Amino acid sequence: MNSSNEGRHDDEAALTEFLSSLMDYTPTIPDELVEHYLGKSGFQCPDLRLTRLVAVATQKFITEIASDALQHCKARLSAPVKDKSKQPKEKRLVLTMDDLSRALREFASRNLGAFELLIGLTMLVIFQFVSAYGVNLKHPDYFADSPLTGMDPSSREE
Amino acid sequence: MSDGGKQSGVDNESSSSTKKKQKGGDDFGRSVSRIAVAQICESVGFQSSQRSVLDTLADVTIRYICSLGKSAHYYANISGRTECNPYDVIQGLEELAGSAQGFSGASDDNRCLSSSGVVRDISQFASTAEEVPFPRVIPRFPVVRTLKTTPSFAQMGKTPAGKHIPDWLPAFPDPHTYVHTPVWNERNTDPRADKLEQARQRRRAESSLLSLQQRIACYGAAVSVPSDNANDSKGKQVAENNPFLVPPLPYDSKQVSGVAIPKYDIAKKRFSVLETFAPAIEAAKAGALECRAIERRSLPSKRAPVHFRIGVDKKSISVPLSSGVLGNKSDSWFLRDDQKDDKKRRAEMILKEAMENPQELIQL
């Protein structure tokens, strides 16, 4: 019991220390934005450290998704070129909807929490519900307003 | 991080447009979160992105924040509090499965929140990730505007209109806001004064017209001007110098068609109406072409009258000005036919006065 109490104190000390260290770290998501949306959902806390905690947690979450998408993008870029006559692909890393949707879907499949269902649903709604209306969304649609239209989608970076 | 720009599909466009329609009031928060998300993507390693992707990620961010706040609030409420603890937040994070791989110790029932794996993950993240602050300063939003309330009776210092009305109620609006008072035209119209003023202005116009006529007629009839009038000799000199103002030929000698061009002479001041109108008067009496007395003063009447406008009014008093006008009838001597009849009448009155009172020289 005592050891667990001590452990708890240590943990609490670690937590307090972490929270205070949060004040040094400025998250990319601004405090005002976080406070606005937390206030919308009923979160009441005058403590700035908690909002920082939420901001950092959100940043971590988005970073994970973005890094997953980056991996997908890099995998596509480094894939062997099937067609020899085709020019080498652009080495620029572009965050496309394909990559993001794949990353989000994997994320949703990995986690079965309520939020992941929400995220997964977001992407599913976008892609699958609309396909029920007859729009094929495997690849981006054809737009005649760019010189790159009609080319292979994988080489169409932007 | 540059923006790729193009929408990647109709679905995104339609969904984002529907999203925009649904959440139209939250544009500011959305754009701020889009900027933040773009910065996060850049720090991850992306060099550019599609616009729809940023919108989607911003939406995901906002949902995440709202969801986290909701669950933290829920845990606080369950514990009987209204204000949230850090432990509430940690529990909320656990519920959202803070990391993609879950967090260590999730299967432990008696785990302590302080040593939660979530916290450790976050602290690890915060220590390793480089700090990318938001580029702009954002005000607290939404901006709360204080409503301008109607002051109460007590605040305005007024006593309410009845004893049944307490003074802490808002005051009644000012009577000028609801009482319609008729607006009278303050200007007094005096018809007699108006007519007098009108007549005076007409007289002034006519007098200036007459003076102009005299000047022109004086130059037009150059030689045959009575010598006792000193001013006319000056006109004669002017006529001699100017080839256009040569003395007119006597009647029947030659048909000429030149028209006298008047020279503006400021020095001329006083004229006698009688002397100026004398030719016209005699012409009116005797008939211009037959009368020899005014022959010398008149040019052949066959010349076309020269019309020019005096003044810039819309009603142009265009006047036939050549000396041939002397041969015309007196009532259209300096007025066109389309003028008002009372103006003609006034002109005739002036002539009559001049004729009837030859001694009384109207000095202009």
Side-chain angles (χ1 to χ4, degrees):
Chain A
M1 202 64 181
N2 280 339
S3 62
S4 63
N5 273 346
E6 281 168 12
R8 209 170 288 168
H9 286 313
D10 289 338
D11 292 331
E12 280 172 19
L15 180 65
T16 343
E17 194 187 308
F18 166 63
L19 284 177
S20 53
S21 74
L22 268 184
M23 292 311 290
D24 298 330
Y25 180 85
T26 311
T28 310
I29 302 174
D31 287 334
E32 290 83 6
L33 185 77
V34 175
E35 275 174 13
H36 175 239
Y37 286 112
L38 284 179
K40 260 196 175 181
S41 53
F43 184 93
Q44 271 247 23
C45 188
D47 196 357
L48 188 60
R49 297 177 301 174
L50 282 187
T51 47
R52 286 278 169 94
L53 180 63
V54 171
V56 172
T58 315
Q59 188 177 347
K60 180 168 167 295
F61 172 70
I62 298 294
T63 312
E64 281 174 20
I65 294 181
S67 55
D68 281 351
L70 184 71
Q71 284 173 11
H72 284 295
C73 184
K74 279 185 184 163
R76 200 154 34 87
L77 279 182
S78 64
V81 179
K82 298 166 199 168
D83 206 344
K84 292 294 164 77
S85 62
K86 230 191 277 182
Q87 294 184 9
K89 291 167 200 164
E90 252 180 74
K91 292 302 169 192
R92 214 162 150 211
L93 296 168
V94 183
L95 177 59
T96 59
M97 206 54 169
D98 283 339
D99 298 334
L100 181 68
S101 64
R102 257 179 248 151
L104 280 172
R105 261 188 230 147
E106 282 175 12
F107 189 85
S109 61
R110 272 203 300 260
N111 307 284
L112 296 173
F115 184 67
E116 281 68 36
L117 275 178
L118 196 67
I119 292 296
L121 268 179
T122 308
M123 300 315 299
L124 284 172
V125 159
I126 289 174
F127 280 96
Q128 287 169 10
F129 277 19
V130 184
S131 70
Y133 287 90
V135 184
N136 183 16
L137 296 169
K138 277 293 177 183
H139 294 291
D141 269 13
Y142 178 87
F143 277 108
D145 54 358
S146 152
L148 295 173
T149 49
M151 290 171 64
D152 190 78
S154 57
S155 67
R156 206 192 322 167
E157 292 297 342
E158 291 180 35
Chain B
M1 178 159 167
S2 67
D3 197 344
K6 200 176 82 165
Q7 294 274 353
S8 68
V10 174
D11 60 326
N12 293 320
E13 217 174 312
S14 64
S15 63
S16 59
S17 64
T18 49
K19 274 180 206 161
K20 272 178 212 161
K21 278 176 209 160
Q22 285 162 10
K23 295 149 193 169
D26 202 19
D27 287 340
F28 183 68
R30 253 168 222 286
S31 46
V32 169
S33 63
R34 191 162 59 217
I35 297 173
V37 156
Q39 282 198 298
I40 292 173
C41 289
E42 192 183 21
S43 69
V44 164
F46 280 108
Q47 287 149 356
S48 59
S49 142
Q50 292 176 346
R51 200 172 287 171
S52 56
V53 180
L54 285 181
D55 285 337
T56 312
L57 268 182
D59 190 43
V60 167
T61 313
I62 291 170
R63 275 179 211 255
Y64 190 84
I65 295 174
C66 290
S67 167
L68 190 54
K70 197 164 130 190
S71 51
H73 185 63
Y74 166 76
Y75 281 112
N77 285 346
I78 275 193
S79 316
R81 287 174 277 109
T82 51
E83 284 196 2
C84 293
N85 261 349
Y87 299 113
D88 299 329
V89 175
I90 293 170
Q91 272 182 310
L93 281 171
E94 284 181 1
E95 185 185 329
L96 294 182
S99 70
Q101 293 86 17
F103 56 96
S104 56
S107 55
D108 192 5
D109 283 340
N110 296 324
R111 70 183 179 279
C112 174
L113 281 178
S114 313
S115 61
S116 161
V118 170
V119 180
R120 259 180 268 136
D121 289 339
I122 291 183
S123 58
Q124 202 179 20
F125 170 78
S127 55
T128 53
E130 57 177 76
E131 191 172 321
V132 183
F134 198 73
R136 289 193 180 93
V137 174
I138 303 175
R140 282 196 71 92
F141 70 99
V143 177
V144 177
R145 273 187 237 162
T146 55
L147 294 170
K148 211 168 96 178
T149 53
T150 322
S152 66
F153 283 107
Q155 283 172 356
M156 290 186 68
K158 281 196 230 169
T159 51
K163 274 188 247 175
H164 61 284
I165 305 173
D167 63 353
W168 44 263
L169 284 177
F172 285 134
D174 292 333
H176 75 267
T177 56
Y178 57 82
V179 171
H180 173 71
T181 51
V183 177
W184 302 109
N185 193 1
E186 287 299 328
R187 198 174 50 161
N188 300 323
T189 52
D190 187 4
R192 185 172 167 274
D194 286 346
K195 280 209 177 129
L196 285 175
E197 181 64 33
Q198 209 176 12
R200 203 186 317 144
Q201 284 173 358
R202 284 217 196 101
R203 252 181 275 129
R204 254 189 269 142
E206 282 160 7
S207 65
S208 60
L209 201 56
L210 285 174
S211 64
L212 180 63
Q213 286 301 318
Q214 284 154 18
R215 284 200 288 271
I216 290 165
C218 189
Y219 284 121
V223 174
S224 53
V225 168
S227 57
D228 55 343
N229 198 340
N231 291 327
D232 291 340
S233 64
K234 212 171 178 184
K236 183 187 171 186
Q237 281 174 8
V238 171
E240 279 173 352
N241 294 335
N242 194 339
F244 287 100
L245 296 177
V246 294
L249 298 171
Y251 183 65
D252 285 337
S253 64
K254 192 181 177 182
Q255 282 290 332
V256 291
S257 63
V259 180
I261 299 177
K263 254 194 175 175
Y264 186 72
D265 192 354
I266 305 173
K268 287 190 171 292
K269 283 216 174 117
R270 297 203 166 252
F271 286 95
S272 86
V273 174
L274 178 63
E275 279 169 341
T276 313
F277 287 171
I281 295 162
E282 287 169 21
K285 277 184 181 170
L289 301 177
E290 287 81 14
C291 182
R292 291 224 159 238
I294 54 168
E295 250 174 28
R296 296 171 293 158
R297 293 179 201 167
S298 68
L299 291 171
S301 66
K302 293 256 170 76
R303 285 193 210 168
V306 173
H307 302 271
F308 68 84
R309 293 192 177 173
I310 302 172
V312 293
D313 295 335
K314 281 177 191 168
K315 273 191 205 163
S316 61
I317 309 172
S318 53
V319 184
L321 269 194
S322 74
S323 306
V325 83
L326 293 174
N328 294 344
K329 289 184 185 162
S330 62
D331 52 357
S332 65
W333 190 70
F334 57 91
L335 291 170
R336 278 186 70 85
D337 292 336
D338 55 353
Q339 285 300 307
K340 286 183 194 168
D341 288 339
D342 57 350
K343 282 211 172 177
K344 274 193 218 165
R345 264 184 261 120
R346 276 210 68 79
E348 285 166 4
M349 267 167 56
I350 293 172
L351 290 173
K352 261 186 239 157
E353 280 169 20
M355 289 192 308
E356 281 155 13
N357 306 325
Q359 295 88 14
E360 195 179 326
L361 298 176
I362 305 168
Q363 298 294 322
L364 287 173

